Structures are given as C-alpha cells and as structure tokens.
C-alpha cells in the first residue's frame, strides 16, 4: 500500500513537502511507514490509530489482545468465512454497537463487500513484520482520539514520545468513527 501511494504521488507530480498523511485505525501502521519515506516538512494526522510498533507493544497485555482478537480470526480463511457467513447478522449488531455505530449503516448481508474488508486484515497481518522495525517519526504529528473509543486505548504522553518526536494529542467527543 505504501509504495502504491508513493507511486501515485510521484505520477501526479505532487510536492512531497506539502503532503499530509491522514490515517485511521489499522491504516495508521501504513501511514507511519509511509511517513518514513516522506520529507521532514510533510505532516501526519492519526485518527484513533497507533503506530504498528506501539500496537504490537500493547499486545503484550491480555486486555489489549482481547480487544483486537477479531483480527486473528480473519487469518483462518475457511473458518472466518464460515463463522462470518453463519453469524453475520448478530456479529454485525454486536460489533457496531460496541463501536457506537448504527448497525444499519453496514451491509445487511454477508457479500463481496464484507470479504474486501476481511482481506484487508489478512494482507495487513502478513505485512506486520515491517512494523516491528518502525522508528519514531521526525515529522509533526497530530494524534486525534475519540473520547468514547471502546476498542483501542488512548496513548499517553510517554508512549507518544517513544514513537513521535513532535506530536500533539487532541481528544474529541466521539467514538472509533469520528465525524
């Protein structure tokens, strides 16, 4: 994903000094990785996301593993397909209520649109080894967090300073999907 984004920017002849990378949730790991390849004047905005390295650091605590354990299910192709197809409607309601969303906003049936989302997690987990090597970002970063976020725990000052040299934290009234 990172290389594809950079290829598009290059093809469009975008001045990389003016790039602002905005990412959400698991896209933050990719955004963090992309920032390593951009000039120092570029900016990073992270919405309810952790750098890949911080995400893995958090996985050393059981309560954080349980909060994100659904990602492991997607690595088992036949089992995840069977479970999601069989229990899609109740799982949809459960997950979206936990996130504070209206479950009617999601596809009502298990179809190819849902499979695209699952495939994103499969690819992401295959590439996560890259994120173990992440260093702190030198570019300016704005970390935006929803006060009602129920899946990820907000990073604190010491955690931010390990992964971002220049970061500001803003908390907004909202959950995982800030609007």
């Amino acid at each position: 994903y990172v290389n594809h984004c950079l290829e598009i920017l290059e093809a469009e002849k975008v001045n990389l000094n003016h790039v602002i990378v905005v990412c959400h949730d698991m896209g933050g790991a990719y955004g963090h990785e992309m920032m390593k390849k951009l000039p120092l004047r570029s900016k990073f905005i992270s919405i309810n996301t952790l750098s890949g390295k911080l995400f893995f650091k958090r996985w050393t605590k059981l309560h954080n593993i349980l909060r994100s354990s659904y990602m492991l299910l997607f690595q088992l192709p036949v089992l995840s397909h069977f479970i999601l197809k069989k229990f899609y409607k109740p799982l949809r309601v459960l997950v979206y209520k936990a996130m504070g969303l209206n479950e009617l906003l999601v596809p009502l049936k298990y179809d190819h649109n849902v499979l695209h989302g699952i495939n994103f997690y499969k690819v992401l987990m295959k590439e996560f080894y890259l994120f173990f090597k992440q260093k702190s970002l030198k570019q300016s970063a704005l970390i935006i967090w929803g006060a009602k976020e129920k899946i990820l725990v907000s990073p604190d000052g010491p955690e931010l300073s390990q992964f971002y040299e220049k970061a500001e934290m803003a908390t907004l009234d909202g959950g995982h999907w800030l609007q």
Side-chain angles (χ1 to χ4, degrees):
Y1 293 123
V2 171
N3 290 335
H4 291 200
C5 290
L6 292 170
E7 288 170 10
I8 292 168
L9 292 172
E10 184 178 300
E12 294 295 322
K13 296 180 176 44
V14 172
N15 181 342
L16 297 181
N17 285 307
H18 301 291
V19 169
I20 300 172
V21 174
V22 180
C23 53
H24 175 261
D25 194 35
M26 296 307 295
Y30 287 112
H32 197 279
E33 192 66 20
M34 186 171 174
M35 291 303 292
K36 292 190 326 189
K37 299 178 180 193
L38 291 172
L40 288 176
R41 292 185 59 197
S42 57
K43 308 272 189 259
F44 182 65
I45 299 175
S46 163
I47 305 169
N48 284 357
T49 189
L50 304 169
S51 73
K53 197 168 185 177
L54 178 55
F55 182 80
F56 275 112
K57 182 179 177 211
R58 291 261 183 99
W59 266 42
T60 60
K61 296 185 174 99
L62 181 61
H63 69 278
N64 288 322
I65 293 171
L66 294 175
R67 284 174 174 234
S68 301
S69 60
Y70 64 92
M71 287 181 8
L72 298 175
L73 172 66
F74 300 147
Q75 303 311 306
L76 308 168
V78 175
L79 184 60
S80 63
H81 179 71
F82 171 77
I83 289 172
L84 285 168
K85 189 169 185 160
K86 184 109 174 124
F87 302 104
Y88 179 69
K89 287 181 183 178
L91 285 172
R92 179 184 66 126
V93 172
L94 179 72
V95 168
Y96 280 80
K97 281 190 176 179
M99 291 181 161
L101 296 174
N102 182 344
E103 69 271 10
L104 298 176
L105 298 175
V106 237
L108 294 174
K109 60 183 181 179
Y110 182 72
D111 61 11
H112 71 280
N113 292 316
V114 176
L115 284 173
H116 290 309
I118 292 169
N119 288 335
F120 170 78
Y121 282 103
K122 287 180 183 177
V123 170
L124 181 69
M125 293 303 276
K126 288 177 186 172
E127 294 183 356
F128 248 22
Y129 72 92
L130 293 171
F131 307 133
F132 280 111
K133 302 182 285 183
Q134 284 184 338
K135 296 183 173 135
S136 65
L137 288 184
K138 297 184 184 318
Q139 296 97 331
S140 296
L142 173 61
I143 313 302
I144 301 173
W145 211 267
K148 298 174 188 165
E149 164 70 68
K150 294 183 180 179
I151 295 177
L152 298 171
V153 177
S154 170
D156 58 23
E159 279 184 317
L160 284 179
S161 65
Q162 288 179 37
F163 300 100
Y164 305 99
E165 288 186 15
K166 297 179 270 182
E168 286 183 50
M169 178 84 175
T171 304
L172 302 178
D173 185 36
H176 186 72
W177 302 96
L178 291 170
Q179 298 177 1

